Amino acid sequence: MSQQPITVSVIKADIGGYVGHSSVHPDLLERARADVSGAVDRGLLVDGCVAYVGDDINLIMTHRRGIDDLEIHRFAWDVFTACTTVARKLKLYGAGQDLLSDSFSGNIKGLGPGCAEMEFVERTSEPIIVFMADKTEPGAWNLPLYKMFADPFNTIGLVIDPKMHKGFEFEVHDLIQHKRVKFLAPEELYDLLIFIGAPSRFCIKGIVSRETGEPAAATSTQRLNLLAGRYVGKDDPVCIVRCQSGLPAVGEVLEPFATPHVVAGWMRGSHHGPIMPVSMPDATPSRFDGPPRVVSLGFQLADGKLHGPRDLFTDCAFDRARDKANEIADYLRTMGPFEPHRLPLDEMEYTTMPQVMQKLAGRFEDI
Ligand code: F6R
Ligand code: MG
Ligand code: MG
């Protein structure tokens, strides 16, 4: 077993939808897989897996270069650029949409793609789960991560596993003020919750074990930029969670998704909807461009090799969560353009408000 740290980097982008925003074209996956296998052959990556959720391509990569590595980020950028060429030929919808810059400038963060990374020394056995969501935002991980790492009604290990009993440290980012703060669970739970209960602004970036100081979870939470008076840059998120042996068991990590929580996103990034746990082939959000989906891929890491994936939400025990998500979707859809189905004015990705206001400006009277 190697004592040399391994880095898991999950970098994702929507570089063209098939059809509309519902799925990824197989030719793009083929292109990405060829590039990833080339990078393994030439030693840049130890291993790699190309996955998808909705219209997003996810590169799940292991390597020895640490987080925020220029070559790894450049490689992901080049894969997405090559896929964009294929997407343009096929005239896929929104080809190249997540490549916000004409060129790569050192770190993929802020250039469009989402990125979650974690560096650690592999344990005797290293089960990890990569979560990938479509039609929602990074704050969608707040509730499930809280349940996994701080709620004893979800994670019995917090109560009865001596290696978990000390709890976990949560790093929370304020996406608007660009600040971060750390909280100790369980003693600061109430302080933690006042922030992460507002997932459009405060997002869990990472979680660390207080027993070992080891990283346990990392998300693709990224700062938002104020453009044209609105905050932009929220994106379909990914999250990496290490499991077992002093960390939540695989079943404790999956359990929060047995009850679909309501997240922001869905049609035009402007609606609340239930997040539905599905297998990768079922991650094709079509009804009202949704409802939002989450896929969980399990891997056993062995000297950096990704043994897997096991597509964990294929378990029929999640059938009822899917049924419930459909019921919640039916109910919320009855509200049409009204809040709280539609997002509040300052959180919608699309709005006509400035134009409508301008058109009607002369008709507003003082009261
Ligand atoms: C949501 C999403 C879609 C689009 C919608 C309209 O994140 O990507 O729901 O917003 O299909 O797309 P346009 O404006 O490109 O026609
Ligand atoms: Mg899209
Ligand atoms: Mg997407």
Side-chain angles (χ1 to χ4, degrees), residues 12 29 37 42 56 71 75 81 89 110 115 123 127 145 156 186 206 226 230 236 246 286 293 316 327 330 346 353:
K12 53 84 42 189
L29 295 172
S37 109
R42 68 174 189 276
D56 303 323
E71 291 308 322
F75 168 70
T81 306
K89 241 179 238 155
C115 174
R123 297 168 293 167
L145 285 173
I156 184 61
L226 188 60
R230 284 173 52 232
D236 303 324
S286 314
R293 302 299 155 103
C316 57
E327 262 176 59
D330 283 344
D346 58 337
M353 187 57 112

Side-chain angles (χ1 to χ4, degrees), residues 14 21 55 97 135:
D14 172 354
H21 290 276
D55 53 7
Q97 74 162 53
K135 304 293 182 273

Side-chain angles (χ1 to χ4, degrees), residues 139-150:
W141 305 129
N142 283 7
L143 187 150
L145 285 173
Y146 170 80
K147 284 189 170 175
M148 289 172 213
F149 288 94

Side-chain angles (χ1 to χ4, degrees), residues 14 21 55 93 135 236 266-269 288-289 349-350:
D14 172 354
H21 290 276
D55 53 7
Y93 195 69
K135 304 293 182 273
D236 303 324
W266 206 350
M267 175 57 81
R268 297 178 189 273
F288 198 57
D289 287 1
E349 206 176 290
Y350 291 55

Side-chain angles (χ1 to χ4, degrees), residues 3 22 38-39 63 65 78 112 145 166 208 249 291 324 341 355 359 364:
Q3 284 303 108
S22 64
H63 54 91
R65 307 178 62 91
D78 290 345
L145 285 173
K166 270 193 197 152
V208 169
K324 188 172 249 175
H341 179 32
Q355 293 99 302
K359 187 176 74 182
F364 276 87

Side-chain angles (χ1 to χ4, degrees), residues 170-359:
F170 287 69
E171 178 178 326
V172 174
H173 285 198
D174 177 340
L175 304 190
I176 291 177
Q177 293 288 319
H178 305 151
K179 289 188 184 303
R180 68 173 169 209
V181 54
K182 292 179 182 174
F183 295 98
L184 295 178
E187 60 268 42
E188 296 180 319
L189 283 188
Y190 298 163
D191 293 342
L192 170 69
L193 282 166
I194 187 71
F195 293 100
I196 64 170
S200 61
R201 172 163 175 186
F202 297 98
C203 293
I204 298 170
K205 178 67 187 170
I207 297 174
V208 169
S209 161
R210 293 174 70 186
E211 174 73 26
T212 61
E214 284 278 297
T219 73
S220 62
T221 296
Q222 272 154 58
R223 60 185 248 162
L224 302 182
N225 293 304
L226 188 60
L227 288 179
R230 284 173 52 232
Y231 286 99
V232 298
K234 285 190 188 192
D235 204 12
D236 303 324
V238 290
C239 173
I240 311 166
V241 182
R242 297 168 77 193
C243 311
Q244 306 284 158
S245 191
L247 301 174
V250 166
E252 290 168 332
V253 172
L254 299 178
E255 181 64 8
F257 298 95
T259 306
H261 61 294
V262 171
V263 298
W266 206 350
M267 175 57 81
R268 297 178 189 273
S270 304
H271 292 80
H272 282 122
I275 190 157
M276 183 189 277
V278 289
S279 68
M280 204 156 54
D282 285 335
T284 51
S286 314
R287 179 189 179 186
F288 198 57
D289 287 1
R293 302 299 155 103
V294 56
V295 167
S296 62
L297 298 182
F299 299 90
Q300 284 293 149
L301 273 190
D303 300 315
K305 286 284 169 197
L306 289 159
H307 294 284
R310 273 220 59 230
D311 194 343
L312 295 161
F313 288 142
T314 52
D315 185 355
C316 57
F318 289 95
D319 286 351
R320 291 252 279 273
R322 295 185 261 273
D323 289 346
K324 188 172 249 175
N326 276 325
E327 262 176 59
I328 297 169
D330 283 344
Y331 172 71
L332 286 173
R333 284 298 303 126
T334 63
M335 299 186 65
F338 285 81
E339 296 179 20
H341 179 32
R342 204 213 66 195
L343 294 184
L345 288 174
D346 58 337
E347 282 181 38
M348 286 190 296
E349 206 176 290
Y350 291 55
T351 186
T352 49
M353 187 57 112
Q355 293 99 302
V356 176
M357 265 299 193
Q358 200 181 11
K359 187 176 74 182

